[in-house]
Amino acid sequence: MRAVVLLSGGLDSYTAAAIAKAQRFTLFALTIHYGQRHAREVESARAVARALGVERHLELEADLRPIGGSSLTSNSSVPHDRDLDAAGIPSTYVPARNTIFLSLALGWAEVLGAHDIVIGVNALDYSGYPDCRPEFIGAFERLANLATRAGVEGGRFRVHTPLIALGKADIVRRGLELGLDYGLTHSCYDPAPDGRPCGTCDSCVLRAKGFNEAGVPDPVLMR
């Protein structure tokens, strides 16, 4: 079975892809250059794709900087030391990002004859993005089966979200069970020029929480 997996180079997408591989899917990895602030994320995606032994790693340009609306695709400051329990959606939300990414994955899946798409969204330990919720995934899956030739001709697309109900610590534990090298990954929204994580953005804080609760050191911090 073939599956298109959205691969960002982060901890979650690596783990989700590895779970799909363990389920005997042949992986076709898709990484989007969307105008993110740093190249380190894409470099990690390449390293992760090699480690997973994907059938093909496709990198697409979909520059979202002209749209703006996010501190990840503009010169706006990334928030640091934010209260993760605060109401509201943070500035690191990229408008419609997962809708756009899943649409690109769907198009490639249809060409490949694949009916499975894998995305590492998580609805527990995350920053409150609306496009990480089960309701969104269910709605996109319905759209996929209505809006494609493969869908109307009897094929059925499935969007797999193996991490959606897991906390960060559970994700880390699952990845370690699968033998993943998390030293290949990158999660920071606002890294130093040499790529070192800032330690205080939402993503760094959530990652640290996961490793701390799992009782293991983060290999990225041991370099």
Side-chain angles (χ1 to χ4, degrees):
M1 299 181 293
R2 294 180 168 189
V4 173
V5 57
L6 285 163
L7 200 64
S8 71
L11 183 151
D12 290 350
S13 71
Y14 185 18
T15 310
I19 290 171
K21 182 177 179 180
Q23 294 170 338
R24 300 187 181 279
F25 282 103
T26 300
L27 303 183
F28 290 78
L30 177 61
T31 298
I32 312 297
H33 298 247
Y34 65 92
Q36 55 266 59
R37 296 169 69 101
H38 46 83
R40 182 72 179 81
E41 181 178 311
V42 175
E43 293 168 4
S44 290
R46 293 168 182 158
V48 164
R50 288 192 295 270
L52 289 167
V54 301
E55 187 74 13
R56 183 181 175 194
H57 185 200
L58 177 64
E59 298 182 25
L60 287 182
E61 297 279 348
D63 190 358
L64 302 181
R65 285 176 297 182
I67 293 175
S70 171
S71 56
L72 297 189
T73 56
S74 70
N75 293 324
S76 300
S77 297
V78 169
H80 291 268
D81 295 312
R82 191 177 71 88
D83 179 2
L84 297 184
D85 294 323
I89 297 169
S91 69
T92 50
Y93 164 70
V94 179
R97 179 174 61 181
N98 283 345
T99 305
I100 295 166
F101 286 9
L102 282 169
S103 297
L104 293 170
L106 176 63
W108 194 27
E110 190 169 24
V111 170
L112 291 171
H115 292 93
D116 298 274
I117 298 170
V118 181
I119 183 170
V121 293
N122 172 257
L124 290 183
D125 287 336
Y126 76 123
S127 295
Y129 302 151
D131 54 0
C132 289
R133 297 172 300 150
E135 298 92 333
F136 163 71
I137 297 298
F140 188 89
E141 195 172 79
R142 291 191 294 274
L143 177 149
N145 288 300
L146 289 170
T148 57
R149 181 173 65 185
V152 300
E153 290 181 350
R156 176 162 181 78
F157 288 99
R158 291 189 60 204
V159 180
H160 299 260
T161 57
L163 312 183
I164 196 126
L166 299 181
K168 268 289 190 286
D170 292 325
I171 293 170
V172 170
R173 293 187 190 103
R174 184 72 179 102
L176 295 177
E177 289 171 359
L178 292 169
L180 303 189
D181 176 7
Y182 283 130
L184 300 175
T185 64
H186 176 85
S187 301
C188 182
Y189 289 151
D190 195 22
D194 63 0
R196 286 181 297 116
C198 70
T200 55
C201 70
D202 286 8
S203 189
C204 280
V205 171
L206 289 167
R207 180 178 175 123
K209 178 177 183 284
F211 278 97
N212 287 339
E213 292 181 357
V216 293
D218 183 347
V220 167
L221 303 180
M222 299 171 64
R223 293 172 180 164

